[in-house]
Amino acid sequence: MTASDMDPIPTVGAFDHGPVGATVDSDLHAIHDLRMDMSGELAGAFVQAGTVHGDVHFHGPSRPAVIPRQVAAPPMLFVNRGRELAALDSALRGETGVKANGSRIVALTGLGGVGKTALVCRWVHGQRDRFPDGVLHAELTAPSGDPVDPVDVLGAFLRALGVPSSEVPETLAERRGLYRSVTADRAMAVVLDDARSTTQVRELLPSSPLSCVLVTCRELLIGLLAIGGSRVQVRSFDEDCAIELLRQYLGADRVEAEVDAARAVAQTVGGLPLALGVAAAMTMARPESNGALEWTARSLAAAESRIDLLSSADDLRVRAVLDSSFRTLPSIAAQAYHALGVHRGIRFRVELVATALGIPDSGAQNAITALEEASLVTRLRDNEYQMHSLVHAHARTIVELEPRTPPAQLQQRMLAWYTHTAHAAVRAVMPARPAVAAPERDDDVVLPPQICDRRFAMTWLEANRGQLLAWATIAQELRQQRTVLQLADALHGVFLLYKEYSAAAEVYQMGLRAAMTLPDENLEFHMRKRHTRVLIRLGQTGQAHEQIARMLASARDAGNRRWEASALKTLGMLHASTGRPDLALLPLMDAWEILDELRRRRAIGLILIHIADVEAQGEHIDVAYEHAQQAKQILSELPTPDKANAARAAISLGIICVHTGRADEAARELHHAVKVLSECGSRADLARAHDGLAELYASIGDDPAAARHRTEANSLCPHRATLNGRSQ
């Protein structure tokens, strides 16, 4: 046979090696210096031949194409997540992030058990057509909590892509190179679960621009963003979605029959999907179906046992998830986590942590940033954060199991922080109100830098008045009487703003008991006065009478005219509250006379508001007009003007003007009060001003304007009729 009788020498493309086979270099070696006269010998996957006769052809071994689909089936129970699914779509279309090594990378961050993996599974299965070459999946954290070595993951990926085990290289560099070659032209999704580091992920990136890498991690891996990845944050469910998930677990009929219990479960576990699944399992395991959800809600309500109850199932352990996150924290972040376990609320500020740990606020910020990156806290606004309720419950168990700073020491520092911050906030909001039990300066307390700003202080007081109540109770339990008094004094300003009379009665009673243990009769009198005036607001007139009698007796025994004026004013307030203006006016006028003798200008301005209001209820409305004008002038001209109470005097003046036909003056005074109180007053006083405007506009026939102001008053203070805005 001549050379012309031979089949043409095959090109590299004619060698059918399947999807992975030998490399281009080995193919070229197979045809290099191919000669007619050689004895045939095997060389790898090819045959080097001598003389070839007839129609004989040689081919490498053919391998079937392998399309891996390694991700788990989509979750059977799935709620909402429309925002997160849309964010993943956006990342795939290239609307967020950029290509990194030719791949699109999306990091899904969130608390362990929040449903990141379920979300990825749902999305990947919904995008099957976009990934015709398959889906790879790997867990990057071992059950022991240790990170999985990328060399092991690459070996598994290569075998899944059709590379025989015998041809998988040994070293990381060789496996990485072969993996990139194999995936170069593929459109794939690579799912990397529970990643621990950017380096771990970087080794597993395919090289194709058609591929997408989905990384779930509890801690935000900044390095992924640095190489062009994008982030999708996965949060716990809100209450509606949490209840919907319970419906899917338990059936709509059972949940609707115990909807209050379902709502309680959703709130208790903070909408965490993993915990909701455990709670549903607890409910289904009850032998009696009736009331089972209520039993679950009651069982989970106890904070000290909540984490244990949610960790009873071997494969659904909330504690294990949170323990894993805690173990990876740097030392300073672990200390902050421990301190937050002592804290009684889930919201906190950086300055609180700095004070508790005795470190600068910059160090506290670093610690909290580490907690945020580990998805253990969520940032609300500058320097303010929130802990998930289950994370907070877990942090409390850490305090018991791994004590670092003594809890008593942390409590004491937090008490100091709340006390000093509350007094600073009240000073900013009510600069004219004198404090009777202000704490001494403490340089170890780190205050919020904006606390002297009136608007910030108002917002802080509104958001933290529940915390202040809780810490006053803690101070009482610790028998720290001076701190109880200091918090009660700060809360007096809060109660003047928000008219929370039931809470005020409780705190003032604590303050009175604390004052009675101290050798300070002035503090005792002030706490008794405040307690009595709240009793009047609550309609407890019998107890109020008894307390007023004690106040008058102690004032006269001590010869203290200032105390006597306060007791007489309180008596006038009592009579006014029971609809007896005739009886109220006498002690109020006596109190005014004493205060005039003592030249207590601010106290005179305040009592004149009461006198004007009482006179307006009777037959002395012209005199009431003069007294309201006088009160407004006095309070406006103090060395430190009392703007809020001057505005309250303007309300009384405006309402009197409505009743005496002075419509223009009434409008001027009431609108002025609305403007001032919108910036620095209480919602109840502001509602009273709008009530006055509603009455004014109704009197002149402007019904639409009257309706607007009445609606505004209703929204500000629905129960304003029982408050009526009297000065304390």
Side-chain angles (χ1 to χ4, degrees):
M1 173 184 286
T2 63
S4 60
D5 294 325
M6 286 183 54
D7 288 334
I9 297 175
T11 64
V12 173
F15 288 83
D16 183 7
H17 301 301
V20 290
T23 64
V24 172
D25 286 341
S26 60
D27 287 342
L28 290 174
H29 175 72
I31 63 173
H32 180 63
D33 289 337
L34 185 63
R35 295 190 301 272
M36 297 294 294
D37 297 322
M38 288 185 64
S39 59
E41 64 181 59
L42 292 173
F46 305 100
V47 176
Q48 292 183 335
T51 303
V52 180
H53 299 277
D55 294 328
V56 179
H57 300 276
F58 292 91
H59 299 277
S62 178
R63 298 180 184 135
V66 177
I67 300 179
R69 299 286 178 187
Q70 294 186 331
V71 77
M76 296 176 62
L77 307 180
F78 194 81
V79 174
N80 202 331
R81 297 301 192 197
R83 180 189 67 83
E84 292 88 348
L85 290 169
L88 286 170
D89 284 339
S90 176
L92 180 64
R93 288 193 300 267
E95 296 173 3
T96 61
V98 296
K99 295 178 181 178
N101 287 349
S103 305
R104 298 199 184 281
I105 307 171
V106 184
L108 293 92
T109 62
L111 181 63
V114 80
K116 300 182 293 295
T117 302
L119 175 65
V120 169
C121 290
R122 181 63 170 251
W123 184 80
V124 166
H125 280 281
Q127 305 294 327
R128 187 182 181 95
D129 292 343
R130 297 190 184 185
F131 306 116
D133 295 316
V135 180
L136 295 172
H137 174 263
E139 293 279 354
L140 298 189
T141 298
S144 63
D146 297 324
V148 174
D149 194 329
V151 73
D152 296 328
V153 179
L154 283 170
F157 279 0
L158 289 169
R159 288 188 291 272
L161 292 168
V163 179
S165 297
S166 60
E167 296 182 17
V168 174
E170 291 295 327
T171 68
L172 174 62
E174 290 176 317
R175 290 187 179 188
R176 181 179 59 224
L178 181 55
Y179 172 67
R180 291 176 180 174
S181 297
V182 170
T183 59
D185 297 318
R186 297 195 182 214
M188 303 181 64
V190 179
V191 178
L192 304 176
D193 248 331
D194 207 3
R196 300 288 294 277
S197 69
T198 301
T199 300
Q200 207 182 16
V201 173
R202 195 194 301 268
E203 301 289 356
L204 304 174
L205 299 180
S207 58
S208 171
L210 303 174
S211 293
C212 179
V213 180
L214 303 162
V215 184
T216 72
C217 44
R218 300 175 200 176
E219 181 176 351
L220 175 61
L221 304 179
I222 300 295
L224 294 183
L225 305 184
I227 61 175
S230 56
R231 180 190 187 189
V232 173
Q233 192 165 11
V234 185
R235 301 186 184 277
S236 295
F237 289 139
D238 61 21
E239 185 176 294
D240 290 340
C241 289
I243 292 175
E244 176 57 31
L245 186 59
L246 288 175
R247 285 194 187 97
Q248 293 187 14
Y249 273 113
L250 303 173
D253 291 344
R254 176 181 287 191
V255 170
E256 293 307 316
E258 299 184 72
V259 68
D260 290 340
R263 188 172 292 110
V265 169
Q267 293 172 353
T268 300
V269 303
L272 187 70
L274 173 62
L276 287 166
V278 178
M282 291 170 57
T283 304
M284 289 184 284
R286 294 290 294 169
E288 297 291 337
S289 59
N290 292 337
L293 196 51
E294 175 64 32
W295 173 87
T296 300
R298 288 198 310 270
S299 301
L300 293 175
E304 62 275 9
S305 62
R306 189 177 306 153
I307 293 295
D308 290 333
L309 285 172
L310 293 171
S311 304
S312 55
D314 290 339
D315 55 346
L316 295 173
R317 296 178 63 84
V318 173
R319 181 187 293 280
V321 168
L322 296 176
D323 282 348
S324 176
S325 296
F326 174 73
R327 284 195 299 268
T328 63
L329 292 175
S331 177
I332 189 64
Q335 292 179 46
Y337 191 78
H338 174 261
L340 292 170
V342 174
H343 189 236
R344 292 300 178 97
I346 62 174
R347 291 193 176 193
F348 63 93
R349 288 189 60 85
V350 170
E351 297 86 4
L352 171 69
V353 175
T355 300
L357 296 180
I359 60 176
D361 54 352
S362 58
Q365 182 62 73
N366 291 337
I368 294 167
T369 298
L371 293 177
E372 183 184 16
E373 291 176 352
S375 300
L376 294 171
V377 302
T378 303
R379 181 178 177 274
L380 299 176
R381 56 188 65 87
D382 287 346
N383 282 10
E384 190 171 351
Y385 293 82
Q386 178 171 296
M387 247 184 171
H388 190 282
S389 59
L390 287 182
V391 175
H392 186 244
H394 179 262
R396 293 181 66 175
T397 68
I398 294 297
V399 173
E400 300 169 2
L401 298 175
E402 301 182 31
R404 294 168 185 255
T405 305
Q409 183 177 328
L410 292 170
Q411 272 192 335
Q412 184 59 47
R413 291 174 177 174
M414 289 181 180
L415 267 171
W417 186 84
Y418 274 106
T419 304
H420 283 77
T421 305
H423 273 272
V426 171
R427 281 197 303 272
V429 175
M430 300 178 173
R433 187 192 79 88
V436 299
E440 296 180 2
R441 178 174 174 173
D442 187 346
D443 292 335
D444 293 330
V445 174
V446 183
L447 294 176
Q450 315 97 311
I451 200 64
C452 294
D453 176 77
R454 183 190 296 268
R455 188 175 297 276
F456 176 89
M458 281 279 291
T459 301
W460 187 87
L461 287 171
E462 182 170 6
N464 287 276
R465 59 190 192 271
Q467 276 290 333
L468 294 172
L469 286 168
W471 285 100
T473 303
I474 293 169
Q476 183 183 48
E477 293 170 354
L478 297 174
R479 300 181 183 276
Q480 296 184 11
Q481 309 299 355
R482 182 67 62 177
T483 304
V484 172
L485 278 165
Q486 291 167 352
L487 282 169
D489 186 35
L491 281 163
H492 177 59
V494 176
F495 296 140
L496 289 178
L497 286 171
Y498 299 106
K499 314 297 186 187
E500 294 174 333
Y501 298 123
S502 295
E506 179 183 352
V507 171
Y508 293 154
Q509 190 170 39
M510 286 193 295
L512 177 58
R513 290 171 181 166
M516 292 172 69
T517 67
L518 300 172
D520 191 330
E521 293 181 349
N522 187 56
L523 285 175
E524 180 180 344
F525 184 87
H526 274 288
M527 285 299 131
R528 192 179 302 281
K529 175 189 70 175
R530 291 174 179 177
H531 185 229
T532 303
R533 291 180 181 179
V534 168
L535 292 176
I536 292 171
R537 297 286 189 179
L538 295 173
Q540 299 178 21
T541 56
Q543 292 184 51
H545 264 297
E546 294 176 7
Q547 294 297 329
I548 291 170
R550 294 186 65 173
M551 289 167 62
L552 282 169
S554 61
R556 289 164 179 165
D557 288 346
N560 191 316
R561 296 282 280 166
R562 177 71 183 91
W563 290 4
E564 186 176 0
S566 290
L568 289 168
K569 176 181 175 181
T570 306
L571 180 59
M573 293 170 64
L574 174 62
H575 289 314
S577 73
T578 57
R580 299 293 304 274
D582 52 335
L583 291 179
L585 202 54
L586 291 174
L588 289 174
M589 297 298 287
D590 289 343
W592 179 18
E593 182 179 348
I594 295 172
L595 293 171
D596 192 46
E597 291 174 7
L598 297 175
R599 298 183 178 181
R600 302 295 294 264
R601 297 289 290 167
R602 180 174 181 272
I604 291 171
L606 293 176
I607 202 167
L608 281 171
I609 298 175
H610 283 278
I611 290 172
D613 287 340
V614 170
E615 289 170 334
Q617 295 175 32
E619 300 176 356
H620 310 285
I621 196 163
D622 290 335
V623 180
Y625 174 82
E626 295 177 5
H627 286 152
Q629 275 192 323
Q630 189 177 356
K632 179 186 173 186
Q633 182 177 357
I634 289 172
L635 293 166
S636 299
E637 295 177 354
L638 292 171
T640 302
D642 191 342
K643 295 180 181 180
N645 279 313
R648 296 177 60 254
I651 296 174
S652 295
L653 181 59
I655 292 173
I656 291 169
C657 287
V658 172
H659 295 163
T660 55
R662 300 178 173 94
D664 291 343
E665 186 176 358
R668 184 168 61 252
E669 295 295 341
L670 290 169
H671 279 296
H672 168 74
V674 166
K675 180 180 179 181
V676 173
L677 292 172
S678 295
E679 297 176 355
C680 64
S682 75
R683 294 169 66 89
D685 291 328
L686 186 55
R688 185 170 178 244
H690 281 291
D691 272 333
L693 285 167
E695 187 176 1
L696 167 65
Y697 287 116
S699 71
I700 62 176
D702 190 343
D703 292 337
R708 285 198 305 273
H709 286 286
R710 196 170 295 113
T711 299
E712 185 68 22
N714 284 335
S715 66
L716 285 166
C717 190
H719 306 296
R720 65 197 179 285
T722 64
L723 302 177
N724 205 23
R726 302 283 192 260
S727 172
Q728 294 189 58

